[in-house]
């Protein structure tokens, strides 16, 4: 798994103050994407122990609500196993923190992936420039859904997260 950056004190990519891990690799190549530098799966840096330590140091702060996986696409085939493993570790070490995951895949196509099932919230769907709305909360275009993964799995029907 490769990454470009770890953003600290982020308030735009999920509920509360968050740490954001910007992963490398995206197959969607959405026109108008705000982060095309992350598309190259070979770009960025290896997610090594120093990066893990940096992320965990941020998550250990009481005022940080959780982690957001973005990119690129955390569900790019080269990221799936790494994001799932990191999510399991975060769940074990920081049980009170939430996990948000942004992906260009639709819920219907990715709901069975372990990384998705470990998330609390999934923002799904490709960015569509023709549906872009700058005032949307936690998403870039109107087609993207903010899914409450825990409730969706428990109720066996799609439940949107309250904005």
């Amino acid at each position: 798994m490769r990454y470009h950056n770890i953003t600290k004190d982020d308030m735009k990519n999920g509920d509360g103050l968050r740490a954001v891990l910007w992963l490398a690799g995206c197959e969607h190549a959405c026109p108008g994407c705000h982060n095309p530098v992350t598309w190259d799966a070979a770009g960025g840096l290896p997610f090594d122990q120093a990066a893990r330590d940096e992320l965990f140091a941020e998550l250990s702060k009481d005022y940080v609500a959780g982690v957001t996986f973005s990119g690129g696409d955390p569900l790019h085939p080269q990221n799936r196993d790494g994001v799932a493993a990191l999510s399991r570790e975060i769940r074990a070490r920081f049980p009170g923190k939430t996990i948000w995951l942004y992906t260009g895949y639709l819920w219907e196509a990715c709901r069975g992936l372990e990384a998705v099932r470990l998330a609390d919230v999934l923002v799904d769907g490709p960015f569509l420039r023709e549906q872009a709305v700058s005032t949307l909360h936690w998403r870039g275009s109107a087609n993207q859904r903010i899914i409450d993964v825990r409730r969706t799995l428990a109720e066996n029907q799609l439940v949107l997260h309250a904005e």
Side-chain angles (χ1 to χ4, degrees):
M1 185 168 75
R2 298 182 69 81
Y3 79 108
H4 282 270
N5 192 25
I6 297 171
T7 304
K8 300 169 180 124
D9 300 331
D10 183 284
M11 295 174 48
K12 294 185 178 197
N13 294 285
D15 198 14
L17 203 58
R18 311 190 67 73
V20 181
L21 179 61
W22 300 93
L23 294 159
C26 184
E27 300 175 318
H28 307 291
C30 302
C33 172
H34 76 283
N35 213 0
V37 70
T38 64
W39 293 355
D40 181 2
L45 305 165
F47 188 78
D48 59 10
Q49 189 60 47
R52 176 180 270 99
D53 292 346
E54 180 182 350
L55 180 63
F56 286 178
E58 191 66 15
L59 289 173
S60 69
K61 297 174 181 174
D62 290 343
Y63 60 85
V64 173
V67 65
T68 297
F69 295 111
S70 193
D73 195 326
L75 298 183
H76 182 281
Q78 87 169 15
N79 294 330
R80 292 174 183 180
D81 291 343
V83 169
L86 190 55
S87 294
R88 283 192 306 273
E89 193 172 355
I90 290 167
R91 286 261 178 249
R93 288 183 65 173
F94 306 101
K97 306 290 182 175
T98 59
I99 298 173
W100 281 55
L101 194 152
Y102 281 76
T103 184
Y105 296 100
L106 295 176
W107 167 259
E108 292 77 10
C110 67
R111 65 182 174 213
L113 296 174
E114 183 182 14
V116 172
R117 300 177 76 75
L118 287 166
D120 294 289
V121 176
L122 178 80
V123 181
D124 82 335
F127 172 76
L128 298 177
R129 187 184 322 204
E130 63 276 9
Q131 292 189 36
V133 180
S134 63
T135 57
L136 289 174
H137 206 80
W138 300 322
R139 57 196 169 126
S141 57
N143 63 297
Q144 295 171 312
R145 300 174 292 185
I146 306 168
I147 299 167
D148 184 324
V149 174
R150 302 279 130 241
R151 287 190 54 208
T152 294
L153 293 173
E155 297 176 22
N156 201 29
Q157 65 178 356
L158 192 70
V159 177
L160 298 180
H161 181 77
E163 289 185 54

